[in-house]
Amino acid sequence: MKRTVITMIASLFVAGTTAVAQSNPMPWKDGNKYIPYEERTGNESIVYFTRNLSPEGLIKAYEQVSENIEGNVGVKLHTGEQNGPNIIPREWVKALLQKDLPEAKIVETNTYYKGDRYTTEQHRKTLEVNGWTFCPVDIMDEEDTLTLPVRGGKWFEKMSVGSHLADYNSLVVLTHFKGHTQGGFGGSNKNIGIGCADGRIGKAWIHTTPGQDNQWNIAKEEFMERMTESTKSVIDHFGKHIAYVNVMRNMSVSCDCEGVNAAPVVTPNVGILSSTDILALDQACVDLVYAMTEAEHHDLVERIETRHGLRQLSYMKELGMGNNRYILIDLDNGGKRITAAEAVKGLKPFVQE
């Protein structure tokens, strides 16, 4: 029998007792400390970069990493709260899907917090308000959940996700890179780890210690590790049939889940990056932020470090999810290799469109 999101609540704590991987796991420290590139070790992955913030730029960035995207394709996108000002423009997404992914569906899950996307009915109304009406949108936990194994995790043996995730052969992770109230920053890791976990069970495992009243009591390094283990369950599921695109535009320190209440944007727009390596991509975006001037990056760096969000990156590396060293390819200049500092040279002050 299909289970509604209401009946999922009853199974939360029962399900939660079976998800833990270790009896007394402890979070690591130093999630507030940035590791410069020259201090990193290991192989380098390819990350593509364009300054072209437009539908054409988005298409170009995606096409560099699309080789293994096939079959039934889900596009994991944060579609935002009602009238949120900072989400990836829907016309950009429409252009990408029409050109390269005409049969794809946008995939989402309901939220853990009460708001405009808490129930499927509310969520579909919000999708309509925000204009996500040009292609099918699959709310993956609309009917049920399933669990995916978390290989090598210390917090989880499995993660609860929307059951419709199993309907897809490939996943395109299309992310608005920005700050985040709990995670410090929201890149591809957050888009998958929180965005594919279902709204009642999976998100509760990540955010809340059972038996107490604070819905958001798990924070800093422990939160980063739990979220990253959730992500690992999804990327292991898709294997090579997954690609990542991060859009560094309208980078408020607030997540798109805050909608019209997001903090004003002060960080300059940068461009669009893509990779088949989730760690290399999120690391490159963070590196570009740190390579900005103090005035340009102050607010976003403060948000990342006060939340200990850099633990997302170090834990992805520990779990073998990718490389934190990369070759940054400038798509605007013949594909030459550039540094993070070169990528953010001469940024213009942010102006709200």
Side-chain angles (χ1 to χ4, degrees):
M1 177 180 292
K2 296 179 180 179
R3 300 162 60 196
T4 67
V5 292
I6 301 300
T7 59
M8 287 182 202
I9 297 173
S11 66
L12 172 59
F13 293 110
V14 174
T17 62
T18 64
V20 179
Q22 298 180 11
S23 58
N24 292 297
M26 293 295 292
W28 195 245
K29 299 180 180 179
D30 297 335
N32 60 332
K33 295 181 180 179
Y34 176 72
I35 302 173
Y37 195 94
E38 58 270 17
E39 296 180 17
R40 303 172 201 164
T41 59
N43 294 327
E44 291 180 318
S45 295
I46 301 295
V47 176
Y48 299 95
F49 170 69
T50 176
R51 300 162 189 82
N52 186 0
L53 285 161
S54 70
E56 293 74 26
L58 182 63
I59 290 167
K60 190 171 187 178
Y62 166 71
E63 289 180 347
Q64 311 307 309
V65 296
S66 62
E67 181 179 1
N68 293 316
I69 301 302
E70 59 188 31
N72 196 17
V73 179
V75 178
K76 179 61 193 73
L77 177 71
H78 195 314
T79 52
E81 296 299 324
Q82 291 190 15
N83 301 305
N86 298 322
I87 58 177
I88 299 173
R90 55 184 172 268
E91 292 304 317
W92 296 16
V93 180
K94 181 179 180 180
L96 171 65
L97 268 58
Q98 287 181 341
K99 183 176 186 299
D100 288 318
L101 297 162
E103 303 300 321
K105 296 180 182 178
I106 293 172
V107 296
E108 272 276 35
T109 56
N110 291 319
T111 59
Y112 183 40
Y113 57 86
K114 292 184 178 180
D116 291 338
R117 298 181 297 134
Y118 184 67
T119 67
T120 297
E121 182 180 10
Q122 291 170 314
H123 202 156
R124 293 211 176 278
K125 175 61 177 177
T126 298
L127 291 166
E128 183 178 346
V129 169
N130 284 349
W132 302 110
T133 56
F134 53 82
C135 76
V137 180
D138 183 358
I139 299 175
M140 295 188 291
D141 57 345
E142 178 175 8
E143 297 177 337
D144 207 341
T145 67
L146 61 83
T147 58
L148 299 176
V150 177
R151 300 185 181 96
K154 66 181 179 183
W155 298 102
F156 303 117
E157 292 181 345
K158 60 185 179 181
M159 177 48 58
S160 182
V161 301
S163 63
H164 295 180
L165 188 75
D167 295 340
Y168 298 94
N169 306 110
S170 301
L171 190 68
V172 175
V173 184
L174 180 54
T175 302
H176 172 218
F177 185 91
K178 67 281 179 186
H180 191 270
T181 301
Q182 195 83 334
F185 72 90
S188 289
N189 185 41
K190 184 267 174 187
N191 191 4
I192 301 174
I194 302 299
C196 290
D198 70 275
R200 300 298 174 269
I201 301 173
K203 288 183 174 70
W205 287 352
I206 297 167
H207 282 291
T208 310
T209 303
Q212 49 76 57
D213 295 331
N214 182 1
Q215 186 179 18
W216 313 107
N217 79 300
I218 296 173
K220 294 187 174 178
E221 283 86 356
E222 181 176 343
F223 173 71
M224 309 308 159
E225 292 173 2
R226 287 173 177 259
M227 174 171 60
T228 302
E229 290 187 15
S230 175
T231 298
K232 189 173 190 299
S233 73
V234 174
I235 69 173
D236 284 351
H237 173 76
F238 283 103
K240 68 178 182 179
H241 301 292
I242 189 166
Y244 312 92
V245 181
N246 284 1
V247 178
M248 298 185 73
R249 168 192 177 273
N250 286 40
M251 291 181 288
S252 170
V253 299
S254 303
C255 178
D256 294 331
C257 54
E258 297 182 52
V260 296
N261 297 313
V265 178
V266 296
T267 306
N269 290 339
V270 176
I272 304 173
L273 295 88
S274 62
S275 184
T276 56
D277 182 327
I278 185 173
L279 171 53
L281 180 61
D282 276 2
Q283 180 74 68
C285 290
V286 169
D287 288 346
L288 265 61
V289 171
Y290 274 81
M292 296 177 186
T293 67
E294 170 66 20
E296 290 170 337
H297 74 196
H298 175 273
D299 287 22
L300 191 49
V301 165
E302 180 181 57
R303 176 55 56 96
I304 292 169
E305 292 184 354
T306 57
R307 272 52 172 188
H308 294 218
L310 297 166
R311 180 56 177 156
Q312 293 186 52
L313 304 171
S314 60
Y315 198 48
M316 277 196 275
K317 184 166 185 180
E318 288 176 26
L319 290 175
M321 295 167 63
N323 299 312
N324 62 354
R325 301 176 74 244
Y326 52 87
I327 297 170
L328 189 60
I329 300 296
D330 188 344
L331 297 176
D332 304 330
N333 290 287
K336 73 174 184 178
R337 181 174 186 173
I338 58 171
T339 65
E342 290 170 328
V344 298
K345 184 177 180 180
L347 295 178
K348 297 178 180 179
F350 176 79
V351 176
Q352 185 73 52
E353 295 179 5

